[in-house]
Amino acid sequence: MNVLVVGATGGSGRAAVQQLLARGHHVTAFTRSGQLATEHARLSVLRGDATNQRDVERAVQGKDAVVVTLGITENPFRVRFFGAAHTPTSVRSEGTRHVIAAMKKYGVRRLVVQTTYGVGETRDKLGFVDSMFFKLLLKPQIVDSELQNAEVTASELDWVLAQPVHLTDDAADPAPFLSLEGETGAMKVSRASVGRFLADAAQDARYVRKSVAISGPMQV
């Protein structure tokens, strides 16, 4: 398959690229910088802005599937009270909207989008502490993630929504706990584990038009 990863320089995006390459796919990493630390014969790096429709169309054309891992890496306190300095707070919804339009234009069906646990179908399953954290500190990002979630579910594409709990940079890559009902195991999961699921979802029909909660392995 030829797979496009939008947001490929973030932690989950890089992990998805690595996992897709390991499965033998051809991968195009779409980034604003046009740079990626990984080098591989089946990896192409394309510079562009997800909020620019023309850039996105150029990236989507000729692909078999698209994985979206857009987000804001800036300090959440700064974003909440002063606004994002480098990335529009609407990057998730706006970028995903452009991806969906381009996919429809070029007949690409499989769309895998990473959002977060606690939006969409899992909104009412969030614990009290996390719910307050979302409202008080992450409100701009959560509002945009809800818009993104709505764009995806209304797209009529073969979409998959990946909803991980708190992300870590742990090197360990245990098989994550996956649930279609919003159930969770440990409330931390590595970006490496999320990348594994994103790569699986790009070609596994079991997850089509499903929201999948992704958490750490169940505690024994």
Side-chain angles (χ1 to χ4, degrees), residues 105-124:
K105 180 175 181 178
Y106 294 115
V108 183
R109 295 295 308 169
R110 183 62 62 88
L111 171 64
V112 182
V113 178
Q114 177 183 330
T115 59
T116 187
Y117 188 82
V119 303
E121 290 191 9
T122 57
R123 186 184 309 113
D124 297 332

Side-chain angles (χ1 to χ4, degrees), residues 198-220:
L198 296 173
D200 288 342
Q203 61 181 134
D204 194 329
R206 290 178 297 170
Y207 304 116
V208 169
R209 300 197 179 178
K210 304 289 186 182
S211 293
V212 185
I214 310 172
S215 57
M218 293 287 285
Q219 300 296 320
V220 178

Side-chain angles (χ1 to χ4, degrees), residues 170-177 188-190 192-194 196 215-217:
D170 292 347
D173 181 21
F177 178 70
K188 291 183 178 180
V189 65
S190 70
S193 296
V194 173
R196 179 195 299 190
S215 57

